[in-house]
Amino acid sequence: MPTKNAAIRFDHPIDPAVRARILSELQAIETRHDVTVLFACESGSRGWGFASPDSDYDVRFIYVHKLSWYLSVDPGRDVIEVPISGDLDINGWDLRKALQLLRRSNPVLLEWLRSPIVYREDVEVASNLRTLAERCFSEARGYHHYVSMAKKNFRSYLQGDDVRYKKYLYVLRPLFAARWIREGRGAPPMCFAELAEATLTDCALLDEINRLLDIKMRVGEATTSPRWSGLHSFIESELTVAEAYRPSGSRCDNAAALDAFLAHTILNKEKGWLAQ
């Protein structure tokens, strides 16, 4: 029997030894590239709350250079990518690039800032970034991103008789994020359980999702299963609804606030460097 008001399972497993390794790698990145990491979080399945035992650690960060880097006629490379080492995947964006993406209401960056797993953060900078992110959120851009992601993943991964467990979640998560936006809740959270519990009322569907999560969180990333007909039918129906909806939205009008934040952050960090 379906469980009344079923709560969605979630877990955000971070091995303490891996956390220490991540913090050490972030410090090494600062030294190697002469930057300061302002914010670092988990962005993948561990942040979403449904990691498998063999899931990678997907670390994403925002950093700032010294003032002189921003005064060059030719712009420098604005991403740092570390070669994948075992189960550790780390890369980051320069603050100016992050703010350019924030101005365009980039959903990936908005999710980073809402990650339940934060490895490091400058509290003041992160708080101001979250405030700016809320102001710059575009319902239209966010909605298009999530619906497009759901459609692409559905067509790419859920057409066979056997599918990988995680691919259902890779379609359900953006569909629930689109629902979140349709219901006027603003920028969606990263956590899958929060999305599902806020947007679903069908207890039977919630129970089926929990059964899927229970298996997915116990088996390897590549494990497959025969098609789940109930979930498959729900996804097809939900995609039809999602594609028919036309969200409103406008461009971010906070360019001046973003410029001021960038200048304030860089100059403050420069003062700290000079004082050392």
Side-chain angles (χ1 to χ4, degrees):
M1 292 292 291
T3 303
K4 186 177 181 180
N5 298 324
I8 289 294
R9 285 200 57 188
F10 70 94
D11 191 16
H12 303 287
I14 302 296
D15 186 286
V18 177
R19 179 183 285 274
R21 181 174 152 216
I22 289 169
L23 292 174
S24 177
E25 182 60 37
L26 290 171
Q27 187 171 12
I29 287 169
E30 289 183 315
T31 301
R32 191 160 59 243
H33 295 274
D34 198 18
V35 299
T36 294
V37 172
L38 302 172
F39 175 80
C41 71
E42 185 69 27
S43 72
S45 59
R46 296 179 190 276
W48 298 331
F50 51 70
S52 296
D54 59 346
S55 291
D56 289 342
Y57 292 83
D58 298 302
V59 183
R60 301 295 178 262
F61 63 95
I62 299 169
Y63 61 92
V64 65
H65 284 275
K66 291 182 178 178
L67 176 61
S68 59
W69 188 88
Y70 300 95
L71 302 180
S72 172
V73 172
D74 294 320
R77 181 171 168 78
D78 55 8
V79 299
I80 294 175
E81 297 171 314
V82 179
I84 295 176
S85 175
D87 58 358
L88 195 57
D89 179 0
I90 304 181
N91 63 68
W93 292 339
D94 169 66
L95 179 61
R96 182 165 59 190
K97 176 183 179 68
L99 292 175
Q100 290 169 346
L101 293 169
L102 198 65
R103 184 174 58 191
R104 298 197 290 272
S105 192
N106 180 275
V108 173
L109 179 56
L110 293 173
E111 287 190 8
W112 289 9
L113 295 172
R114 288 169 165 238
S115 174
I117 303 172
V118 175
Y119 294 110
R120 274 184 57 179
E121 70 175 347
D122 179 309
V123 175
E124 179 184 357
V125 170
S127 175
N128 288 331
L129 270 173
R130 293 184 181 104
T131 298
L132 288 168
E134 293 295 329
R135 293 176 182 171
C136 288
F137 176 68
S138 164
E139 179 181 304
R141 286 181 180 272
Y143 193 79
H144 175 74
H145 168 82
Y146 287 113
V147 174
S148 296
M149 180 188 297
K151 288 167 56 179
K152 178 182 177 181
N153 288 342
F154 179 69
R155 292 168 179 168
S156 298
Y157 304 118
L158 300 187
Q159 300 306 304
D161 293 329
D162 290 296
V163 298
R164 293 165 72 179
Y165 288 101
K166 72 174 187 177
K167 297 305 183 182
Y168 273 118
L169 297 167
Y170 282 18
V171 177
L172 290 169
R173 194 181 74 88
L175 283 178
F176 295 159
R179 268 201 183 194
W180 182 284
I181 295 172
R182 281 205 308 274
E183 293 172 358
R185 299 173 183 268
M190 175 181 279
C191 183
F192 177 81
E194 186 177 351
L195 281 171
E197 289 177 5
T199 58
L200 292 181
T201 58
D202 185 331
C203 291
L205 179 59
L206 286 165
D207 276 355
E208 187 163 11
I209 290 172
N210 265 335
R211 288 194 295 273
L212 176 70
L213 287 167
D214 181 66
I215 298 171
K216 198 275 180 186
M217 291 160 70
R218 289 188 288 105
V219 301
E221 286 280 291
T223 306
T224 63
S225 162
R227 180 184 296 189
W228 291 43
S229 59
L231 287 180
H232 205 88
S233 296
F234 168 78
I235 288 170
E236 290 181 321
S237 174
E238 188 69 10
L239 278 172
T240 300
V241 173
E243 290 181 284
Y245 180 77
R246 294 293 178 267
S248 60
S250 58
R251 290 178 58 86
C252 173
D253 60 358
N254 285 279
L258 295 171
D259 287 344
F261 174 74
L262 176 64
H264 174 77
T265 303
I266 292 171
L267 291 174
N268 269 2
K269 293 303 174 185
E270 187 74 8
K271 290 178 184 177
W273 277 315
L274 292 173
Q276 292 177 359

